[in-house]
């Protein structure tokens, strides 16, 4: 059943973080990773950072896991749900990858989870936060190295309460991730006396924010909670400041609002407080080593997206080690990942029964181009895993 047993000689690009060289590899001696990520569109930067983080860990292992050379098949999913089934099925059926790593957009990952579940291909999700893949869609062969949409938003709710914001307006893209983020935020403020007075949305990936900013200005809330990421976050933060709202109505958000995009946001982001499972200045030994290695490989600092890619690779490496690289022994790989402690730059974490990280959510404040660690907004939080009945294996 597994292509890995085929004896075939071919040439691959064995890529270190900095250089690529063509080397012959026996098919039986390789682990073929399908990287399905957005490399274009509003989330392109997120996809690129995930890939860099993933490859950094693999390169640190000499480009080999459990004695096998890691090779890649790369697909740009464009954050386009309508193309997702075709894209993932090509990876599984045509390219016969051993494991899929992806993606960023919650709508796209749903199609990937469906295909992974029915084909039993190992899937590690290095970003997309939809609660459902570790809820009703959960499966033994599906893991997440990132977060659930609920988590940072729940932390932001706690931050809003701590700040004493009573009347809050939420703004987000109208798709699964935005909706789940609002659910988390509302649970974070529950029972505090704070409330959401209006949920404003724009279709994904629209960045025409003017009408929405006019509404905020008329509603005069105590604060605004925003869910946007990548290029859309840059546009929103800049438009919010340009409209003069930053001076009168504090803007908070899930940390994606300022993550990996501070240079582009410039002065408009200064002082913003957000919540996320990573921050600058965590200063653990693991984080310091990761940041130094990342900077050496890529000449720039990492962000949460790179951390999630790095941790996806750590999870794969640990699983494969348990079976000596035998992909046919999937139950052994699954058990090893389920029970491991991931030694992440964000802080060590374990996975929930539904295979999603249980982790701390940090409050961060933008200062001098960094999302600086301020405090812990929510400690050791899991995620909703509604309807997850893990199939026996
Ligand atoms: C998602 O679609 O789950 C998603 C995408 C980008 C983010 C956060 C969540 O920054």
């Amino acid at each position: 059943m597994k292509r890995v047993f085929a004896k075939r000689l071919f040439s691959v690009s064995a890529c270190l973080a900095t250089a690529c060289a063509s080397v012959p590899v026996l098919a039986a001696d390789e682990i073929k990773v399908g990287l399905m990520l957005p490399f274009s569109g509003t989330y392109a930067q997120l996809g690129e950072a995930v890939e860099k983080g993933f490859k950094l860990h693999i390169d640190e292992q000499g480009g080999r896991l459990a004695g096998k050379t890691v090779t890649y098949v790369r697909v740009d999913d464009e954050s386009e749900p309508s193309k997702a089934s075709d894209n993932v099925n090509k990876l599984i059926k045509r390219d016969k990858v051993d494991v899929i790593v992806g993606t960023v957009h919650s709508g796209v990952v749903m199609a990937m989870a469906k295909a992974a579940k029915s084909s039993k291909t190992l899937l590690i999700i290095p970003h997309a936060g939809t609660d459902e893949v570790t809820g009703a869609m959960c499966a033994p062969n599906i893991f997440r190295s990132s977060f659930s949409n609920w988590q940072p938003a729940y932390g932001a709710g706690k931050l809003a309460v701590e700040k004493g914001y009573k009347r809050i307006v939420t703004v987000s893209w109208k798709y699964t991730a935005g909706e789940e983020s609002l659910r988390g935020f509302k649970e974070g403020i529950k029972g505090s006396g704070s409330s959401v007075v209006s949920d404003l949305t724009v279709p994904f990936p629209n960045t025409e924010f003017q009408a929405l900013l006019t509404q905020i200005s008329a509603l005069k809330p105590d604060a605004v909670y925003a869910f946007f990421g990548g290029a859309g976050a840059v546009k929103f933060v800049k438009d919010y400041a340009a409209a003069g709202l930053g001076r009168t109505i504090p803007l908070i958000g899930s940390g994606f609002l300022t993550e990996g995009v501070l240079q582009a946001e410039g002065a408009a982001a200064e002082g913003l407080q957000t919540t996320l499972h990573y921050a600058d200045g965590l200063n653990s030994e693991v984080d310091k080593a990761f940041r130094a290695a990342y900077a050496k490989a890529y000449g720039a600092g990492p962000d949460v997206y790179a951390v999630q890619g790095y941790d996806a690779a750590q999870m794969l490496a640990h699983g494969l080690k348990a079976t000596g690289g035998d992909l046919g022994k999937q139950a052994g790989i699954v058990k090893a990942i389920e029970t491991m402690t991931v030694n992440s730059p964000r802080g060590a974490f374990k996975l929930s029964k539904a295979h999603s990280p249980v982790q701390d959510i940090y409050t961060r404040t933008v200062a001098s181009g960094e999302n600086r660690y301020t405090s812990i907004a929510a400690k050791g939080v899991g995620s909703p895993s509604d309807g997850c009945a893990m199939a026996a294996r």
Side-chain angles (χ1 to χ4, degrees):
M1 128 250 187
K2 276 272 161 194
R3 177 201 50 78
V4 268
F5 298 118
K7 291 270 178 219
R8 214 160 22 97
L9 191 67
F10 63 104
S11 182
V12 295
S13 283
C15 288
L16 292 171
T18 47
C20 295
S22 211
V23 291
V25 174
L26 270 177
D29 293 335
E30 68 161 344
I31 304 284
K32 203 172 189 180
V33 177
L35 285 177
M36 183 163 153
L37 291 163
F39 297 116
S40 59
T42 202
Y43 288 153
Q45 194 181 335
L46 285 61
E48 280 156 16
V50 165
E51 180 182 28
K52 284 180 177 164
F54 187 89
K55 289 187 170 172
L56 178 63
H57 184 71
I58 302 297
D59 291 347
E60 285 175 349
Q61 316 310 307
R64 290 167 75 78
L65 296 183
K68 296 189 173 186
T69 301
V70 178
T71 63
Y72 300 100
V73 182
R74 240 170 141 256
V75 175
D76 176 7
D77 68 38
E78 305 165 48
S79 296
E80 182 47 70
S82 68
K83 299 184 183 167
S85 277
D86 276 358
N87 279 332
V88 71
N89 280 314
K90 269 187 216 149
L91 281 178
I92 295 170
K93 292 179 188 151
R94 184 192 66 191
D95 302 319
K96 300 191 175 6
V97 298
D98 298 304
V99 52
I100 302 170
V101 175
T103 187
V104 167
H105 186 284
S106 277
V108 176
V109 93
M110 283 304 293
M112 296 174 73
K114 210 167 147 200
K117 202 168 172 168
S118 61
S119 65
K120 296 196 164 30
T121 310
L122 188 61
L123 168 65
I124 305 180
I125 303 165
H127 185 76
T130 182
D131 301 333
E132 207 174 332
V133 287
T134 47
M137 282 296 292
C138 78
N141 57 310
I142 300 178
F143 290 92
R144 176 150 56 199
S145 66
S146 52
F147 67 100
S148 94
N149 285 319
W150 183 93
Q151 285 178 326
Y154 176 78
K158 296 288 172 211
L159 171 65
V161 172
E162 184 196 309
K163 291 275 181 188
Y165 304 143
K166 295 289 179 211
R167 295 177 65 255
I168 301 156
V169 167
T170 67
V171 291
S172 62
W173 271 316
K174 192 167 178 53
Y175 81 102
T176 324
E179 283 148 19
E180 291 178 347
S181 174
L182 299 193
R183 170 182 167 194
F185 183 77
K186 285 175 184 166
E187 286 183 29
I189 61 173
K190 204 167 164 183
S192 67
S194 299
S195 65
V196 171
V197 292
S198 191
D199 287 328
L200 306 177
T201 58
V202 289
F204 176 85
N206 193 330
T207 55
E208 288 308 314
F209 296 125
Q210 220 44 55
L212 189 146
L213 294 171
T214 306
Q215 279 176 280
I216 293 172
S217 178
L219 286 161
K220 295 191 174 44
D222 294 336
V224 169
Y225 164 78
F227 167 83
F228 295 110
V234 175
K235 176 79 169 33
F236 183 77
V237 166
K238 287 188 140 181
D239 284 2
Y240 196 86
L245 290 173
R247 285 193 294 276
T248 47
I249 307 171
L251 173 63
I252 60 171
S254 282
F256 312 113
L257 195 62
T258 55
E259 189 71 9
V261 287
L262 281 179
Q263 223 176 340
E265 290 176 346
E270 199 64 18
L272 291 187
Q273 289 204 298
T274 63
T275 48
L276 202 64
H277 47 290
Y278 190 56
D280 294 315
L282 288 178
N283 269 337
S284 67
E285 290 309 313
V286 175
D287 191 40
K288 281 195 276 190
F290 166 72
R291 291 168 84 95
Y294 194 91
K296 186 165 177 223
Y298 304 114
D303 51 29
V304 76
Y305 312 112
V307 170
Q308 295 168 164
Y310 190 80
D311 291 344
Q314 292 208 65
M315 287 159 67
L316 178 62
H318 187 81
L320 287 174
K321 195 170 167 202
T323 65
D326 187 346
L327 285 144
K329 294 184 177 156
Q330 197 183 70
I333 296 173
V334 167
K335 183 146 192 275
I337 302 176
E338 274 178 341
T339 50
M340 78 184 285
T341 296
V342 183
N343 216 358
S344 172
R346 78 189 84 170
F349 69 86
K350 290 183 86 73
L351 298 169
S352 69
K353 287 206 163 51
H355 295 179
S356 203
V358 176
Q359 57 195 341
D360 294 344
I361 302 297
Y362 307 113
T363 297
R364 312 104 50 81
T365 307
V366 177
S368 309
E370 289 200 325
N371 284 294
R372 288 217 184 123
Y373 169 82
T374 317
S375 57
I376 292 181
K379 187 142 190 67
V381 280
S383 19
S385 46
D386 309 346
C388 170
M390 196 61 85
R393 63 205 88 116

mmCIF file of all heavy atoms in Angstrom, residues 43 46 104-107 127-130 147 149 175 177 227-230 256 305, ligand 1:
data_model
loop_
_atom_site.group_PDB
_atom_site.id
_atom_site.type_symbol
_atom_site.label_atom_id
_atom_site.label_comp_id
_atom_site.label_asym_id
_atom_site.label_seq_id
_atom_site.Cartn_x
_atom_site.Cartn_y
_atom_site.Cartn_z
ATOM 1 N N TYR A 43 -2.363 35.751 3.004
ATOM 2 C CA TYR A 43 -1.657 34.940 4.006
ATOM 3 C C TYR A 43 -0.306 34.403 3.510
ATOM 4 O O TYR A 43 0.273 33.505 4.142
ATOM 5 C CB TYR A 43 -2.540 33.758 4.427
ATOM 6 C CG TYR A 43 -3.740 34.109 5.286
ATOM 7 C CD1 TYR A 43 -4.881 33.302 5.279
ATOM 8 C CD2 TYR A 43 -3.741 35.210 6.131
ATOM 9 C CE1 TYR A 43 -5.988 33.602 6.085
ATOM 10 C CE2 TYR A 43 -4.847 35.512 6.934
ATOM 11 C CZ TYR A 43 -5.959 34.704 6.901
ATOM 12 O OH TYR A 43 -7.051 34.992 7.702
ATOM 13 N N LEU A 46 2.529 34.218 5.955
ATOM 14 C CA LEU A 46 2.336 33.208 7.001
ATOM 15 C C LEU A 46 2.813 31.845 6.493
ATOM 16 O O LEU A 46 3.522 31.112 7.196
ATOM 17 C CB LEU A 46 0.861 33.120 7.408
ATOM 18 C CG LEU A 46 0.285 34.246 8.286
ATOM 19 C CD1 LEU A 46 0.348 35.602 7.610
ATOM 20 C CD2 LEU A 46 -1.138 33.942 8.726
ATOM 21 N N VAL A 104 -2.901 27.230 6.437
ATOM 22 C CA VAL A 104 -3.158 28.437 7.233
ATOM 23 C C VAL A 104 -4.660 28.741 7.341
ATOM 24 O O VAL A 104 -5.170 29.034 8.416
ATOM 25 C CB VAL A 104 -2.396 29.644 6.609
ATOM 26 C CG1 VAL A 104 -2.878 30.965 7.190
ATOM 27 C CG2 VAL A 104 -0.895 29.476 6.814
ATOM 28 N N HIS A 105 -5.367 28.647 6.222
ATOM 29 C CA HIS A 105 -6.777 29.073 6.161
ATOM 30 C C HIS A 105 -7.703 27.947 6.652
ATOM 31 O O HIS A 105 -7.619 26.802 6.185
ATOM 32 C CB HIS A 105 -7.094 29.437 4.705
ATOM 33 C CG HIS A 105 -8.458 30.031 4.493
ATOM 34 N ND1 HIS A 105 -9.607 29.271 4.499
ATOM 35 C CD2 HIS A 105 -8.849 31.298 4.258
ATOM 36 C CE1 HIS A 105 -10.649 30.054 4.262
ATOM 37 N NE2 HIS A 105 -10.217 31.290 4.114
ATOM 38 N N SER A 106 -8.596 28.295 7.567
ATOM 39 C CA SER A 106 -9.482 27.292 8.173
ATOM 40 C C SER A 106 -10.389 26.596 7.159
ATOM 41 O O SER A 106 -10.672 25.408 7.299
ATOM 42 C CB SER A 106 -10.343 27.939 9.268
ATOM 43 O OG SER A 106 -9.619 28.002 10.472
ATOM 44 N N GLY A 107 -10.853 27.322 6.154
ATOM 45 C CA GLY A 107 -11.725 26.707 5.141
ATOM 46 C C GLY A 107 -10.961 25.691 4.315
ATOM 47 O O GLY A 107 -11.491 24.627 3.953
ATOM 48 N N HIS A 127 -0.887 25.710 11.327
ATOM 49 C CA HIS A 127 -1.489 27.017 11.636
ATOM 50 C C HIS A 127 -3.012 26.939 11.790
ATOM 51 O O HIS A 127 -3.509 27.149 12.874
ATOM 52 C CB HIS A 127 -1.120 28.097 10.608
ATOM 53 C CG HIS A 127 -1.644 29.438 11.035
ATOM 54 N ND1 HIS A 127 -1.069 30.195 12.026
ATOM 55 C CD2 HIS A 127 -2.752 30.134 10.666
ATOM 56 C CE1 HIS A 127 -1.769 31.289 12.238
ATOM 57 N NE2 HIS A 127 -2.808 31.285 11.436
ATOM 58 N N ALA A 128 -3.746 26.717 10.710
ATOM 59 C CA ALA A 128 -5.201 26.903 10.676
ATOM 60 C C ALA A 128 -5.856 26.506 11.996
ATOM 61 O O ALA A 128 -5.663 25.408 12.497
ATOM 62 C CB ALA A 128 -5.810 26.101 9.540
ATOM 63 N N GLY A 129 -6.668 27.433 12.529
ATOM 64 C CA GLY A 129 -7.150 27.253 13.896
ATOM 65 C C GLY A 129 -8.549 26.698 14.048
ATOM 66 O O GLY A 129 -9.074 26.662 15.163
ATOM 67 N N THR A 130 -9.177 26.263 12.940
ATOM 68 C CA THR A 130 -10.583 25.920 13.110
ATOM 69 C C THR A 130 -10.808 24.849 14.183
ATOM 70 O O THR A 130 -10.160 23.808 14.197
ATOM 71 C CB THR A 130 -11.269 25.516 11.783
ATOM 72 O OG1 THR A 130 -12.651 25.244 12.079
ATOM 73 C CG2 THR A 130 -10.649 24.291 11.137
ATOM 74 N N PHE A 147 -2.651 26.199 17.297
ATOM 75 C CA PHE A 147 -3.582 26.796 18.260
ATOM 76 C C PHE A 147 -4.983 26.505 17.740
ATOM 77 O O PHE A 147 -5.141 26.071 16.594
ATOM 78 C CB PHE A 147 -3.371 28.333 18.302
ATOM 79 C CG PHE A 147 -3.766 28.984 17.005
ATOM 80 C CD1 PHE A 147 -4.998 29.612 16.861
ATOM 81 C CD2 PHE A 147 -2.945 28.888 15.889
ATOM 82 C CE1 PHE A 147 -5.390 30.149 15.643
ATOM 83 C CE2 PHE A 147 -3.331 29.420 14.670
ATOM 84 C CZ PHE A 147 -4.546 30.051 14.561
ATOM 85 N N ASN A 149 -8.641 28.591 17.069
ATOM 86 C CA ASN A 149 -9.090 29.990 16.958
ATOM 87 C C ASN A 149 -9.622 30.527 18.278
ATOM 88 O O ASN A 149 -9.517 31.713 18.579
ATOM 89 C CB ASN A 149 -10.165 30.114 15.868
ATOM 90 C CG ASN A 149 -9.551 30.036 14.484
ATOM 91 O OD1 ASN A 149 -8.492 30.603 14.231
ATOM 92 N ND2 ASN A 149 -10.187 29.299 13.581
ATOM 93 N N TYR A 175 -15.568 34.547 7.977
ATOM 94 C CA TYR A 175 -15.404 33.122 7.642
ATOM 95 C C TYR A 175 -15.094 32.406 8.945
ATOM 96 O O TYR A 175 -14.949 33.040 10.002
ATOM 97 C CB TYR A 175 -14.357 32.907 6.541
ATOM 98 C CG TYR A 175 -12.901 32.897 6.948
ATOM 99 C CD1 TYR A 175 -12.213 31.681 7.077
ATOM 100 C CD2 TYR A 175 -12.201 34.079 7.189
ATOM 101 C CE1 TYR A 175 -10.868 31.655 7.421
ATOM 102 C CE2 TYR A 175 -10.852 34.046 7.541
ATOM 103 C CZ TYR A 175 -10.192 32.842 7.651
ATOM 104 O OH TYR A 175 -8.864 32.814 7.997
ATOM 105 N N ALA A 177 -12.729 31.258 10.732
ATOM 106 C CA ALA A 177 -11.744 31.695 11.730
ATOM 107 C C ALA A 177 -12.233 32.927 12.487
ATOM 108 O O ALA A 177 -12.081 33.018 13.710
ATOM 109 C CB ALA A 177 -10.405 31.966 11.068
ATOM 110 N N PHE A 227 -9.910 40.612 14.608
ATOM 111 C CA PHE A 227 -9.271 39.399 14.097
ATOM 112 C C PHE A 227 -8.953 39.602 12.621
ATOM 113 O O PHE A 227 -9.859 39.590 11.783
ATOM 114 C CB PHE A 227 -10.178 38.167 14.264
ATOM 115 C CG PHE A 227 -9.640 36.994 13.463
ATOM 116 C CD1 PHE A 227 -8.640 36.198 13.983
ATOM 117 C CD2 PHE A 227 -10.096 36.739 12.176
ATOM 118 C CE1 PHE A 227 -8.091 35.159 13.222
ATOM 119 C CE2 PHE A 227 -9.557 35.701 11.414
ATOM 120 C CZ PHE A 227 -8.561 34.910 11.946
ATOM 121 N N PHE A 228 -7.682 39.863 12.339
ATOM 122 C CA PHE A 228 -7.172 39.890 10.968
ATOM 123 C C PHE A 228 -5.734 39.383 11.019
ATOM 124 O O PHE A 228 -5.109 39.431 12.082
ATOM 125 C CB PHE A 228 -7.174 41.318 10.374
ATOM 126 C CG PHE A 228 -8.556 41.900 10.205
ATOM 127 C CD1 PHE A 228 -8.982 42.949 11.010
ATOM 128 C CD2 PHE A 228 -9.427 41.401 9.239
ATOM 129 C CE1 PHE A 228 -10.258 43.486 10.873
ATOM 130 C CE2 PHE A 228 -10.707 41.930 9.094
ATOM 131 C CZ PHE A 228 -11.130 42.972 9.915
ATOM 132 N N GLY A 229 -5.223 38.904 9.875
ATOM 133 C CA GLY A 229 -3.831 38.438 9.847
ATOM 134 C C GLY A 229 -3.170 38.808 8.531
ATOM 135 O O GLY A 229 -3.829 39.217 7.567
ATOM 136 N N GLY A 230 -1.857 38.682 8.487
ATOM 137 C CA GLY A 230 -1.097 38.896 7.265
ATOM 138 C C GLY A 230 -1.286 40.290 6.692
ATOM 139 O O GLY A 230 -1.367 41.283 7.416
ATOM 140 N N PHE A 256 -2.369 37.784 15.858
ATOM 141 C CA PHE A 256 -2.093 37.783 14.418
ATOM 142 C C PHE A 256 -2.140 39.203 13.853
ATOM 143 O O PHE A 256 -1.583 39.490 12.813
ATOM 144 C CB PHE A 256 -3.108 36.898 13.684
ATOM 145 C CG PHE A 256 -3.272 35.563 14.348
ATOM 146 C CD1 PHE A 256 -4.456 35.199 14.969
ATOM 147 C CD2 PHE A 256 -2.202 34.682 14.394
ATOM 148 C CE1 PHE A 256 -4.588 33.990 15.608
ATOM 149 C CE2 PHE A 256 -2.318 33.465 15.039
ATOM 150 C CZ PHE A 256 -3.512 33.114 15.648
ATOM 151 N N TYR A 305 4.376 31.970 13.287
ATOM 152 C CA TYR A 305 4.155 31.066 12.156
ATOM 153 C C TYR A 305 5.362 30.137 11.980
ATOM 154 O O TYR A 305 5.220 28.945 11.730
ATOM 155 C CB TYR A 305 3.862 31.874 10.881
ATOM 156 C CG TYR A 305 2.830 32.950 11.124
ATOM 157 C CD1 TYR A 305 3.154 34.309 11.087
ATOM 158 C CD2 TYR A 305 1.523 32.614 11.464
ATOM 159 C CE1 TYR A 305 2.210 35.291 11.355
ATOM 160 C CE2 TYR A 305 0.571 33.584 11.734
ATOM 161 C CZ TYR A 305 0.923 34.930 11.685
ATOM 162 O OH TYR A 305 -0.009 35.891 11.962
HETATM 163 C C1 LIG B 1 -7.480 30.559 10.082
HETATM 164 O O1 LIG B 1 -8.065 30.598 8.988
HETATM 165 O O2 LIG B 1 -7.668 29.641 10.903
HETATM 166 C C2 LIG B 1 -6.535 31.642 10.445
HETATM 167 C C3 LIG B 1 -5.842 32.304 9.445
HETATM 168 C C4 LIG B 1 -4.967 33.343 9.767
HETATM 169 C C5 LIG B 1 -4.799 33.700 11.092
HETATM 170 C C6 LIG B 1 -5.476 33.023 12.099
HETATM 171 C C7 LIG B 1 -6.361 31.991 11.782
HETATM 172 O O3 LIG B 1 -3.942 34.676 11.395
#
